[in-house]
Every structure is written in structure tokens, then in C-alpha cells.
Amino acid sequence: MLMMNTDHAIRVKRKVEISEGPMDQKTATTNTSQQILDIAQRLVQTRGFNAFSYADIASAMGISKASLHYHFVSKSELGVKLIERYKTEFAATLDEIDAESANAAEKLKRYVNIYTEVLADDRMCLCGMLTAEFVTLSKSMQLALDAYFDLNERWLARVLESGLADRSLRFEGSANDASQYIVGSLEGSMMMARPHGGLARFHAATRHLLADFGI
Amino acid sequence: MLMMNTDHAIRVKRKVEISEGPMDQKTATTNTSQQILDIAQRLVQTRGFNAFSYADIASAMGISKASLHYHFVSKSELGVKLIERYKTEFAATLDEIDAESANAAEKLKRYVNIYTEVLADDRMCLCGMLTAEFVTLSKSMQLALDAYFDLNERWLARVLESGLADRSLRFEGSANDASQYIVGSLEGSMMMARPHGGLARFHAATRHLLADFGI
DNA sequence: TAACACTTACCTTTTAGTAGGTAACTTGTC
DNA sequence: GACAAGTTACCTACTAAAAGGTAAGTGTTA
């Protein structure tokens, strides 16, 4: 059995964080780390966390496995960073949507569109994929995932409540239940569509879902 | 990278199928094979196909890994048998529902209830879990999965059409699209509920979904 | 005697992770 | 401005454990 990824591999070596070092060195570090995250993310989104290895990333980047361990001590740490980066980007997009949308209905449509674009790139939602593997992940990855979905569902619930107020949305039951229903539906439709039906299937599903909220 | 499970390990040894052998021996074989499938199924439903090994099953059953290979030559073959058995059981349940239900709405409610019971046992749908891992599975497992979902969606589409006729269901769009929407929603809600929200979350989701079909 | 349902004892490959080293660069001190 | 000391971002070479799988044998049963 792939045991739960341990968290006790606490980083002892020097940090690679943003320092007062000169610009080009900092950028170099950032680039490599970001590139590792980019490749790892695509692997998780297409294959899952338990179906890729450091060797895959190493060969894709043309560097050694040991270098990967320099940037991310353990696979579990890499996983946590992956989720946190994804969440941060997501939060920024949600802020953008909040700033630019005329009403709640438009916000919801744009939210759904985030998923559509991920699927159009032939990927599963990072955190949806990880949720399927949840029990096999380290505690720290599980906590990071919880935080990601809390963010999503709290944002959605706020949008839904404001949709009742501005009369751009219609639905029954609590905004909390509805937001969880939306996330579940989108993740599931995405997961099913990737191997069977593709974007067309997903579009049909989102039309159905949005219609259910009066859009 | 965990490579796609190869299918070229064609079974050369004697088959373990239902034969003209004496009853108790046949039963013994069947029992062991079924027990292997039972344990493997629970492992896939809780952890995923890429997160368990023959060693896990062996230790759970108290037999050797080699014995498992006697019953199922490769992990891929075990996977295919798992999906086929699941599909057969599912088909039998759908027949039962067809035979016993007064109208389409009742059929749909009982269909949803199948998922609820799986989740109540703390499992994900076998085929939903495998769908998340789809691209990492062998061609033969992928084909078996396709067949499973075809069965589901065709049955659902028939129920939905008859629901329009007997006026027990209401929905917009094609029955095909709607049936795919239902499957996606259920799989996704189930996947999300297992680590976060549990049965209560899933119940809220199914209430929402069924309401969407006029129930 | 032949099939069945197992066993022990291996095999190869892959896994995550470690030890120790090095070249290039930055930094602080004189 | 020279130079030692430290930092960064890598490397080769390794490890132990686990993965899926195989070869060859054994006891039981019909």
C-alpha cells in the first residue's frame, strides 16, 4: 500500500524564499521552482498525485531528481505548495470576477467558465483530482485542500445570497447547500467529461446547472 | 511514471471459470476469487486503483501475492473483472428497479439511492473513482468503464423519457444530456462528500438534483 | 494421474529520499 | 579591490522499500 505521505520531513536546509539577494539569482530560483510546480501540476491534473513520480518531472525538465528534492524536500511538500499556489491564483481570479461583474448571475457564469477553461486544456481541476485521492494524501495536503474548497464554497455562497438580493438568481434551499451542490456538480461533470464526452458534454451540463439557478 | 497497465499479459494458464468440476471445489475457487474481488473493490473505492497493491490484498486475506496472480494474472485483469462484476450487479439492480417501480420518478429516486448506500458505507462509486484515474488505466479497463457508463446513461435516458410520458418528471433539454448531467452530479457530489460533508452533504445535493427534475 | 489452489523464493524496475560534492556567485572584512 | 566564507542551485551515486510479476514446487482432492 502507498502509505500516507509523512509530514515529518521538516526542511533543515537553507530556505529558497524571497531574500535580499540580487534580482537575477532570486528570479532564477523562482523560475525553476515555478517550472517544477507547472509540470507537477499538469501531471496531477491529468494523471493524479499517486500516478506520477519525481523521475517524471526530472526527465521532463532535464534536471536530476536530487535537484527536485532541493526545491521541494518531499513529494508531500510539493503537493502542499501546488494546492496553495492554485488556491492563491483562484482567489485572485475570484477577486477579479467580483470587481468586474455587473451582478451575481454574471459572477456565477464566470465562475463556471473557470472550470470550462481548465477542461478545454484537457485537465481536471487540480483539487478535484486530489479529492478523489484524499485518503491517500498527507495530513498537510488534506488541510490545504480543505482550505481551497472552503474558499470556493464561501465565495459561491456569498454570490448566491447576493443573487437572491439582486434578483439575478433563483434557487431553493440554503446558499451553503447550493454552493456545495454547484461545486460537486462541476467537479463531477468535469471528471466524467474528460474521458467521455469532452467539452460538449461539459457544456451541456453547465447549461443544465445554470438553468437550475434561473440563468 | 506509472506506465499504462499493459494488456499483453494474456492468460496462458488454466482458467478459473465456472467449469464442470465438482461443486465444493468450484465453490472454493469462486469464494477465493470473489473474496479477492471484494477486498480489491473496497481498496479501489476508498483509495483508488493506483494506490493499492497486490501486497495489500495478500496481507488482508492472509495468502501470498503469488496466489493472487494465480487467480488474476495481472492487476489490469483484476481491474477489468472488478468493473465487469460491478456492472453486472448494477444491471441486476436496475432490472429490479424497473420491475418494482410505479413510475419514472420512483425509478430515479431509487437510482440515486444506490449511490447513497455506497457512500453510507464510506466508499466512492467504483467506476467514478476509476474515471478520475482513467488515463492511467489499461485499454481493457477503459473499455470496461465505457461499457459501465453506457449502461447507466442509457438506462437513465429511458427513465427520463418515460418520466416525460407519465408526467412524473420534468426537465429541459434532451434526455441524453440530462442523464449525463445526473451521473456527473452524483459522482461529483459523492466524491466531494466523502472527505468533506459526508452523507448530510450528499443528501442535500440529491434533494437539489431531484428537485431539478420536478421531484 | 491430473487438475487445482496454493506456497517459497526469487526477479526487475521504480519509488521517494539521502550523502556528499562542486561550480558560480554574493557578501563581509581588510 | 582582494580574498575568505557563505549561499545557491545544481550534480553523481547511492539506499531501502515496494511495486508487479515469474518459476518451480507441494499437498490435497476426484
Side-chain angles (χ1 to χ4, degrees):
Chain A
M1 187 168 313
L2 269 87
M3 289 314 292
M4 181 187 264
N5 295 285
T6 51
D7 278 331
H8 50 64
I10 287 147
R11 174 154 216 159
V12 178
K13 296 188 181 171
R14 40 197 175 269
K15 298 267 175 78
V16 193
E17 279 159 28
I18 298 103
S19 69
E20 55 293 304
M23 188 58 191
D24 56 312
Q25 197 175 87
K26 183 176 77 187
T27 317
T29 303
T30 302
N31 280 349
T32 304
S33 290
Q34 291 299 312
Q35 223 182 309
I36 292 168
L37 288 172
D38 288 344
I39 291 170
Q41 185 175 323
R42 163 139 247 149
L43 284 167
V44 175
Q45 290 184 284
T46 52
R47 306 177 56 85
F49 195 77
N50 291 324
F52 85 95
S53 70
Y54 267 37
D56 297 328
I57 307 175
S59 83
M61 288 191 61
I63 64 171
S64 68
K65 277 194 311 160
S67 297
L68 298 178
H69 281 285
Y70 168 75
H71 289 281
F72 303 95
V73 189
S74 66
K75 202 184 175 190
S76 166
E77 188 197 295
L78 173 63
V80 171
K81 293 281 157 62
L82 228 37
I83 299 166
E84 284 172 351
R85 187 180 70 152
Y86 201 73
K87 182 185 150 206
T88 302
E89 281 174 24
F90 217 93
T93 306
L94 297 185
D95 282 348
E96 227 176 272
I97 292 176
D98 275 332
E100 296 171 3
S101 301
N103 59 18
E106 192 188 330
K107 289 184 189 184
L108 185 54
K109 275 195 275 190
R110 288 188 60 174
Y111 180 82
V112 168
N113 203 47
I114 302 174
Y115 288 73
T116 308
E117 276 171 17
V118 173
L119 181 63
D121 196 24
D122 247 317
R123 306 178 188 219
M124 174 64 189
C125 167
L126 178 79
C127 294
M129 184 63 98
L130 291 171
T131 297
E133 304 178 285
F134 196 83
V135 303
T136 71
L137 305 177
S138 68
K139 195 82 217 150
S140 55
M141 285 184 69
Q142 294 183 344
L143 291 173
L145 271 180
D146 289 346
Y148 171 82
F149 284 113
D150 274 11
L151 172 78
N152 271 262
E153 288 167 9
R154 280 215 305 271
W155 183 86
L156 266 178
R158 257 188 292 120
V159 168
L160 292 178
E161 305 239 23
S162 78
L164 286 183
D166 70 19
R167 295 195 169 277
S168 67
L169 297 177
R170 260 175 296 119
F171 62 94
E172 274 159 49
S174 77
N176 267 335
D177 284 356
S179 73
Q180 296 194 334
Y181 175 72
I182 290 171
V183 171
S185 262
L186 289 173
E187 294 288 0
S189 295
M190 201 171 181
M191 189 175 79
M192 295 303 302
R194 222 163 44 99
H196 180 27
L199 262 187
R201 179 184 177 141
F202 189 70
H203 277 128
T206 59
R207 266 197 303 278
H208 201 110
L209 180 65
L210 289 173
D212 190 25
F213 285 82
I215 304 184
Chain B
M1 184 167 315
L2 270 87
M3 290 314 292
M4 178 188 265
N5 295 284
T6 50
D7 276 332
H8 50 64
I10 286 147
R11 174 153 216 159
V12 179
K13 297 185 182 171
R14 43 199 173 266
K15 298 269 175 77
V16 193
E17 282 159 23
I18 298 105
S19 67
E20 55 293 304
M23 189 57 193
D24 57 310
Q25 198 174 85
K26 183 178 78 186
T27 316
T29 304
T30 301
N31 281 349
T32 304
S33 290
Q34 291 299 311
Q35 223 183 311
I36 292 168
L37 288 172
D38 288 345
I39 291 170
Q41 183 174 326
R42 163 140 247 147
L43 285 167
V44 175
Q45 289 184 285
T46 52
R47 306 178 55 85
F49 195 77
N50 291 324
F52 85 95
S53 70
Y54 266 38
D56 298 327
I57 307 175
S59 84
M61 288 191 61
I63 63 172
S64 68
K65 276 195 309 163
S67 297
L68 298 178
H69 282 285
Y70 169 75
H71 289 281
F72 302 95
V73 190
S74 66
K75 201 184 176 192
S76 165
E77 188 196 297
L78 172 63
V80 170
K81 292 282 157 61
L82 229 36
I83 300 166
E84 284 172 352
R85 188 180 71 153
Y86 201 72
K87 182 185 148 206
T88 302
E89 279 174 25
F90 216 92
T93 307
L94 297 186
D95 282 349
E96 226 176 274
I97 292 176
D98 274 331
E100 297 170 3
S101 301
N103 59 18
E106 192 188 329
K107 289 182 189 183
L108 185 56
K109 275 194 275 190
R110 287 188 59 175
Y111 180 82
V112 167
N113 203 47
I114 302 174
Y115 288 74
T116 308
E117 276 172 19
V118 172
L119 181 64
D121 194 24
D122 248 315
R123 307 180 186 216
M124 173 63 189
C125 166
L126 177 79
C127 294
M129 184 63 98
L130 292 172
T131 296
E133 304 177 286
F134 195 84
V135 304
T136 71
L137 305 177
S138 67
K139 197 79 216 156
S140 54
M141 284 183 70
Q142 294 183 343
L143 291 173
L145 272 179
D146 289 346
Y148 172 82
F149 284 113
D150 274 11
L151 172 78
N152 272 262
E153 287 166 10
R154 279 215 306 272
W155 183 86
L156 265 178
R158 257 188 292 121
V159 168
L160 292 177
E161 304 241 22
S162 78
L164 286 183
D166 72 18
R167 295 192 169 279
S168 67
L169 298 176
R170 260 175 295 118
F171 63 95
E172 274 159 50
S174 75
N176 267 335
D177 284 356
S179 73
Q180 295 194 333
Y181 175 72
I182 291 172
V183 171
S185 263
L186 290 174
E187 294 287 1
S189 295
M190 200 171 182
M191 189 175 79
M192 295 302 303
R194 221 164 43 101
H196 179 26
L199 260 188
R201 178 184 177 141
F202 188 70
H203 277 129
T206 59
R207 267 196 303 278
H208 201 110
L209 180 65
L210 289 173
D212 189 24
F213 284 83
I215 304 184

